[in-house]
Amino acid sequence: MTILLIEDDPSIAQIVTDYLEKESFTIMWCEDGELGYNTFLTNTYDLIVVDLMLPKMDGFTLCEKIREHSDVPIIVVSAKQSDFDKVRSLEIGADDYVTKPFSPFELTARVKAQIRRYKRGAQPQAEYMFFQDVKIDRKGRRVIVDGEAIVLTAKEYQLFLYLAENPGQVFSKEDLYTEIWNGDGFDSRTVTVHIKNLRYKLKDGKKLPKYIETVWGVGYKFIGIPGK
């Protein structure tokens, strides 16, 4: 997957490039808004990272012009921390907003989360998903175990559905927090508690799990066997 990075600070661009390339992304870097826009027009990208304070064309204008042609995910990365700048960025088409200084790990997690959302939204989804004793009713936003609907909070449902939609993929707690809680104020305990509650309600043992497996030192993955 290819990411267009539009950032006028070479040191920040290098850090972002190094971290994203470790995750097997290909990075195209442009150091001003005008070059970034022209590069966008001549290539196809899976996501765009945009600084707001750019020479030749500012980030706000750039986002607006990109949105005239594409719904590709856009993450704004900026030293501007006011609510006005964040709201304006989101209103003109940005999908996420990260303030400088930022954690490269957090930015990487947000990049992966936005790409997953975009790819998932482009694919048709079945109304039901079946795994052993579990049935997920997407339309009704319900999880049914052994023929009986269990009571899940909104976040528990979102978390379980997200894991089920990405079977076998290992997610760190930060990955899950970024996806389900939008990444603000990362709290690993929140993820741990929700996983614990899901296991209890699903009657999914931690030692011999059927659905959610702990990958020690990394995070969690979904291991449910598809059925009907």
Side-chain angles (χ1 to χ4, degrees):
M1 290 181 285
T2 306
I3 294 174
L4 176 59
L5 171 62
I6 309 171
E7 166 63 62
D8 65 328
D9 187 324
S11 61
I12 293 177
Q14 188 62 60
I15 291 172
V16 173
T17 297
D18 289 345
Y19 275 84
L20 291 177
E21 285 184 341
K22 287 179 182 177
E23 299 294 329
S24 300
F25 291 108
T26 299
I27 311 302
M28 176 66 72
W29 173 46
C30 298
E31 57 187 350
D32 68 68
E34 187 174 287
L35 177 60
Y37 180 62
N38 290 331
T39 302
F40 157 75
L41 290 176
T42 56
N43 295 279
T44 300
Y45 298 95
D46 295 281
L47 182 138
I48 302 175
V49 178
V50 178
D51 186 17
L52 285 184
M53 294 181 286
L54 293 168
K56 297 187 179 180
M57 182 188 297
D58 66 79
F60 291 122
T61 302
L62 182 56
C63 286
E64 288 180 317
K65 292 177 74 67
I66 289 173
R67 277 291 171 258
E68 292 175 359
H69 301 275
S70 172
D71 61 351
V72 61
I74 299 174
I75 297 179
V76 168
V77 178
S78 176
K80 292 176 173 284
Q81 300 187 21
S82 72
D83 288 341
F84 172 80
D85 293 308
K86 294 178 183 178
V87 171
R88 184 182 175 193
S89 296
L90 296 172
E91 285 182 341
I92 62 176
D95 297 280
D96 201 355
Y97 192 105
V98 179
T99 56
K100 298 178 182 178
F102 57 85
S103 160
F105 292 106
E106 179 187 354
L107 179 61
T108 300
R110 288 174 181 260
V111 165
K112 292 192 290 185
Q114 288 297 333
I115 290 176
R116 285 194 297 266
R117 288 191 187 111
Y118 183 70
K119 299 295 185 183
R120 189 167 68 241
Q123 298 174 352
Q125 296 181 326
E127 185 176 345
Y128 299 104
M129 298 177 71
F130 299 89
F131 302 96
Q132 289 130 295
D133 303 323
V134 167
K135 173 183 174 182
I136 301 175
D137 175 4
R138 280 196 178 99
K139 187 175 181 179
R141 294 181 64 84
R142 300 183 304 160
V143 174
I144 301 164
V145 180
D146 290 328
E148 183 176 342
I150 61 175
V151 179
L152 297 180
T153 67
K155 292 300 183 186
E156 287 169 355
Y157 172 79
Q158 291 171 31
L159 179 58
F160 186 60
L161 177 63
Y162 182 65
L163 289 169
E165 288 178 334
N166 296 277
Q169 185 170 341
V170 180
F171 295 102
S172 68
K173 291 180 182 179
E174 187 164 1
D175 287 336
L176 294 173
Y177 196 87
T178 298
E179 177 70 27
I180 306 302
W181 287 270
N182 297 320
D184 295 327
F186 170 58
D187 180 2
S188 64
R189 176 65 180 167
T190 296
V191 179
T192 301
V193 169
H194 279 72
I195 291 290
K196 180 180 178 181
N197 290 342
L198 273 173
R199 283 174 166 158
Y200 174 76
K201 294 177 180 182
L202 292 166
K203 300 177 182 178
D204 192 26
K206 186 176 181 180
K207 292 184 179 180
L208 296 173
K210 292 193 295 183
Y211 306 110
I212 302 172
E213 180 177 271
T214 298
V215 181
W216 296 108
V218 183
Y220 306 98
K221 68 177 179 179
F222 187 81
I223 59 170
I225 300 172
K228 193 161 184 176

